[in-house]
Amino acid sequence: MKHGFAAIAAGVAMLLAAAPAAAGALPSDLVAHAADAGASSARSTPTAVDQQSVTTQLVALASGALDPSSRMSATVTATNRSTMDVEDAVLELALTERPLADRAALDAFLADPSSVESRLAAQEPESPVDQVSSPVATGGVSSEVEGADSASEAVGSTIAAGASRTFTIGASPDELGLPSGRWGVWGAVLTLRTPAGDVFVDAIPLTWQGAEVPQLDLSVLTLAEGTESSAATVLGAANIPGVASAVDPTLVTNAVAFDAGLVERETWRLASGSPDLTSLARAEQTSLMELALSLPAATNLASIGRARWLAVPAAIDATSTEAAAALGARATLALPDAAGYAELADTADAALVQDDDALVLVPDAGLTDALSQYRPGTEAAEARAIAESALLAEEVDGDPVLAVLADTWRPSSAEPSAVLEALMTAPWVQPLPVSDLLDTDPVDVELPANLATEADLPAEDVAALVGTLEDLTTLAHATTDPDAALADWGAELLGAAEVSLRDNPGVRDAAIAAALAQAETTLASLRIAESSDLNLLAETGEIPVTVVNDLDHEVRVRVDLTSFSPNLQVLEDPTITVPANEEQAALVRVEAVSSDNVSVSVALRSTEGAPVGEGQTFAVRVRADWGNAATAVFSVVLVLLLVAGLVRTARRGRRDTRAEPAPAPATAPDPEAENSDPFDEEPTDPGDAADPGGPERTARD
């Protein structure tokens, strides 16, 4: 194959000599490679491989922090995606000639490793003893290996076509040439050398502990907000001793709290829904923020539900921080993307500042960025965080430092973050609770009154949201569980005022319109059913009023009926309980003074007397005299019926008891028998018992 390629190269060279014009039509890389191949045809010719077909990845690094007893080791996987073998592949490790002076030098090295002078420190496979690596005089890394004989045996490895090969390069601090008696951060560059070209692998910082690194008092705070799933992921990734968390308590269940170790770790509270504190403070209407702070926690752990809260405004100005302090915030967080952060960090250069009575926590932007955004999920991220903290420890000279991982930190899983764990366990890092940081002496500053006003929520929109919130709060007090009802109904209002919508006014306007429309529907869900005119035909009676409850919460309301005429007096305003999504009739007792057509209105009130729901107005035809006349007629009818019944009974009794005339006897009565008992059972004369002329016992007798 090599000889065939040499022939092809020679042919190309002949074509170039014979037809110069044609050479201009060939790709420049092919022309250059053909010339090189023709010049070296006397020795083995490298295989022509497209550099893009070979990819590499750093899959393991141990360790980003070296001490005299440790050993640096890096594992790289190289994949050959071409159809030809790649031969003589060598993995090289180069170190910067000198340690990186500070964090700015670290940033410059990571942005462009070739901008810093480097030297070859190790390679895999190792070179033969008779081959020497030449140092680099200028920027970049030398890959030239000089042998005693140009035909010496190659030292590289072969990567078969369509296959992968793993290289592991390792070296002790002495082999790397790291000096004893001092510490520092060196830049390391991994490169895969092939005859067809070099493939850059990675650039990583190595922190050398030849001497003791200065101590760094470090507070790390993560923010868990957004959705339940994202909050659970953040809390799980932050489950590392020494790392504090600020959480939206409505998103944290008991299960999440225990899984994330919040019972043992320092926990702070965030305002639920992340409302735009800066806009609300400028409009001087902070009731939405009060709602966000009053929403019940999803867990019954007092350490979360009753934790002190930290404010996270969009602008670090006096208006925002004073409003936060007035609402009871322990401190205000100045996130790096907030308006006014850069000016504050440059002016104060401290983790804790104070303006009047308002405390402001100022995280270090460089460390925060290194932890949250630098190549997440890679081995280089851990090495960068360690190196950043070491250089920062020397820079701050004993002052405490804060890192805050907000919405830019998106861990891929709920497993504890390897980067955070490596940082918090670095020998020079001393974890500092945020509460202890707040007890240190702050630096006095004077914040500007207002910043970033062009992105604020318009005052009229704030007023509309606040007014609607007041109506919903009144309605919630008519339910049997006001806190739960207000939490349900107020969530959409908070969503319309979310701080993240400052960057998208169009979406924010749509969210406000949707929230107000939904609130209007909620407010109309408790009402008096429409009714036709009613009749009252007595001096006293009950007027039925139907209460409709289309809410998802049970309500207890008082039915307040008002008469617009003295001819109808209301005796009682009944209080009824209406289940969710049902309706129920309330009977209002009234008294009619005289007949009239009376207009009445019916309103619903909470048990505290505040009006709720929609009322109704209808007419009542009062006919009290009709009722009296009807009663009199009914009474007369009853009397007549009674009299008729008595008369009929008397007549029937006389007819039944009247005697019929008896026939005259056939013989004259015996005078002596008049005083005797005709029914005597023992007659004196036996013949008298059969005497047919004796009296006959009848049924009547």
Side-chain angles (χ1 to χ4, degrees):
M1 176 66 72
K2 294 180 180 179
H3 294 292
F5 185 82
I8 295 174
V12 171
M14 294 176 60
L15 289 174
L16 293 177
L26 294 174
S28 58
D29 56 347
L30 178 59
V31 173
H33 187 71
D36 293 341
S40 59
S41 58
R43 54 185 173 89
S44 60
T45 306
T47 304
V49 178
D50 183 2
Q51 184 175 342
Q52 296 298 325
S53 64
V54 179
T55 60
T56 58
Q57 181 182 7
L58 176 63
V59 295
L61 177 66
S63 155
L66 295 172
D67 59 47
S69 62
S70 62
R71 179 180 178 84
M72 183 270 175
S73 176
T75 301
V76 175
T77 298
T79 302
N80 180 11
R81 304 181 185 280
S82 71
T83 58
M84 304 177 66
D85 294 347
V86 174
E87 299 180 355
D88 297 339
V90 177
L91 178 64
E92 294 184 351
L93 170 67
L95 289 182
T96 54
E97 290 282 1
R98 291 174 295 278
L100 303 173
D102 50 29
R103 293 195 291 166
L106 173 61
D107 291 341
F109 166 75
L110 294 176
D112 183 10
S114 64
S115 64
V116 183
E117 293 184 0
S118 302
R119 58 180 174 82
L120 184 62
Q123 73 177 41
E124 173 62 32
E126 296 180 356
S127 61
V129 294
D130 61 338
Q131 294 181 339
V132 181
S133 300
S134 60
V136 179
T138 60
V141 179
S142 172
S143 62
E144 182 180 355
V145 180
E146 297 180 355
D149 189 344
S150 60
S152 61
E153 184 179 356
V155 299
S157 301
T158 299
I159 308 174
S164 298
R165 186 180 183 89
T166 298
F167 297 82
T168 299
I169 189 170
S172 67
D174 289 339
E175 293 170 337
L176 293 174
L178 296 174
S180 61
R182 62 176 298 188
W183 73 272
V185 176
W186 271 258
V189 180
L190 289 166
T191 306
L192 183 68
R193 306 291 186 184
T194 69
D198 300 336
V199 181
F200 173 77
V201 179
D202 214 333
I204 51 177
L206 294 180
T207 304
W208 163 237
Q209 304 171 72
E212 185 177 357
V213 180
Q215 179 175 304
L216 176 64
D217 294 329
L218 177 63
S219 299
V220 177
L221 178 67
T222 63
L223 306 186
E225 50 191 347
T227 63
E228 291 185 11
S229 60
S230 62
T233 301
V234 167
L235 291 174
N239 187 11
I240 296 167
V243 176
S245 292
V247 303
D248 179 347
T250 63
L251 305 177
V252 182
T253 62
N254 284 342
V256 171
F258 283 105
D259 290 345
L262 294 184
V263 179
E264 296 83 14
R265 295 196 290 120
E266 183 182 22
T267 305
W268 297 84
R269 180 179 182 136
L270 296 174
S272 300
S274 304
D276 187 355
L277 173 60
T278 296
S279 294
L280 300 178
R282 273 200 259 283
E284 298 182 353
Q285 300 191 62
T286 57
S287 57
L288 280 171
M289 183 61 66
E290 294 172 2
L291 169 65
L293 295 172
S294 68
L295 296 182
T299 174
N300 54 13
L301 295 177
S303 59
I304 298 176
R306 300 177 185 175
R308 296 290 300 274
W309 77 285
L310 300 175
V312 189
I316 311 304
D317 54 25
T319 301
S320 301
T321 56
E322 289 173 3
L327 290 167
R330 181 67 177 88
T332 296
L333 281 177
L335 296 183
D337 59 352
Y341 168 84
E343 295 79 2
L344 178 61
D346 291 342
T347 302
D349 193 22
L352 182 66
V353 301
Q354 183 174 13
D355 181 12
D356 291 334
D357 295 332
L359 291 174
V360 181
L361 290 167
V362 186
D364 181 84
L367 182 58
T368 295
D369 180 75
L371 291 174
S372 60
Q373 299 189 61
Y374 184 74
R375 299 175 59 188
T378 65
E379 297 293 326
E382 183 177 330
R384 165 73 187 274
I386 293 174
E388 188 89 22
S389 67
L391 295 173
L392 184 58
E394 184 179 44
E395 180 183 320
V396 299
D397 192 23
D399 292 335
V401 174
L402 171 68
V404 176
L405 305 183
D407 56 352
T408 56
W409 187 50
R410 297 183 176 90
S412 59
S413 73
E415 295 298 319
S417 168
V419 176
L420 277 181
E421 190 169 11
L423 173 66
M424 301 306 291
T425 56
W428 57 89
V429 172
Q430 179 63 42
L432 179 68
V434 176
S435 56
D436 290 353
L437 174 60
L438 288 169
D439 289 336
T440 61
D441 293 331
V443 175
D444 290 329
V445 296
E446 184 176 353
L447 298 175
N450 293 292
L451 291 172
T453 57
E454 65 278 358
D456 288 345
L457 184 64
E460 57 271 19
D461 289 340
V462 175
L465 292 172
V466 169
T468 302
L469 176 61
E470 293 175 354
D471 294 338
L472 290 175
T473 302
T474 301
L475 179 60
H477 282 89
T479 67
T480 54
D481 190 350
D483 292 339
L486 190 58
D488 290 345
W489 303 335
E492 195 155 356
L493 295 180
L494 291 176
E498 189 176 341
V499 67
S500 62
L501 298 179
R502 290 174 66 92
D503 298 332
N504 199 331
V507 174
R508 184 172 63 186
D509 291 344
I512 292 173
L516 294 177
Q518 179 61 44
E520 192 67 25
T521 300
T522 300
L523 293 170
S525 296
L526 181 62
R527 65 189 187 279
I528 301 294
E530 295 184 3
S531 176
S532 59
D533 295 347
L534 300 177
N535 295 318
L536 180 63
L537 304 179
E539 290 184 357
T540 60
E542 295 176 334
I543 296 178
V545 176
T546 301
V547 179
V548 179
N549 178 20
D550 288 335
L551 301 172
D552 292 331
H553 296 269
E554 183 181 74
V555 298
R556 183 169 178 79
V557 293
R558 190 180 79 224
V559 179
D560 187 2
L561 189 145
T562 301
S563 171
F564 296 107
S565 172
N567 293 323
L568 182 66
Q569 302 294 326
V570 179
L571 301 179
E572 182 184 6
D573 292 331
T575 298
I576 63 172
T577 300
V578 186
N581 298 301
E582 293 187 16
E583 61 181 46
Q584 187 169 315
L587 301 179
V588 183
R589 292 185 60 215
V590 296
E591 181 180 31
V593 176
S594 64
S595 298
D596 194 4
N597 291 331
V598 179
S599 294
V600 298
S601 67
V602 184
L604 299 178
R605 297 184 181 277
S606 66
T607 54
E608 299 172 352
V612 294
E614 295 184 355
Q616 282 287 340
T617 300
F618 52 89
V620 177
R621 290 191 290 268
V622 180
R623 299 294 183 264
D625 50 351
W626 288 13
N628 294 336
T631 302
V633 171
F634 183 71
S635 300
V636 170
V637 171
L638 286 179
V639 171
L640 292 175
L641 290 175
L642 179 61
V643 171
L646 292 175
V647 171
R648 183 177 180 184
T649 301
R651 292 181 61 187
R652 180 182 297 133
R654 287 194 301 268
R655 183 172 60 250
D656 292 340
T657 59
R658 184 179 300 145
E660 295 291 336
T667 60
D670 186 357
E672 294 181 0
E674 291 180 359
N675 297 325
S676 62
D677 186 0
F679 300 102
D680 189 356
E681 295 181 356
E682 295 181 359
T684 58
D685 189 343
D688 293 341
D691 187 1
E696 183 177 346
R697 187 183 293 260
T698 63
R700 180 176 301 174
D701 294 336

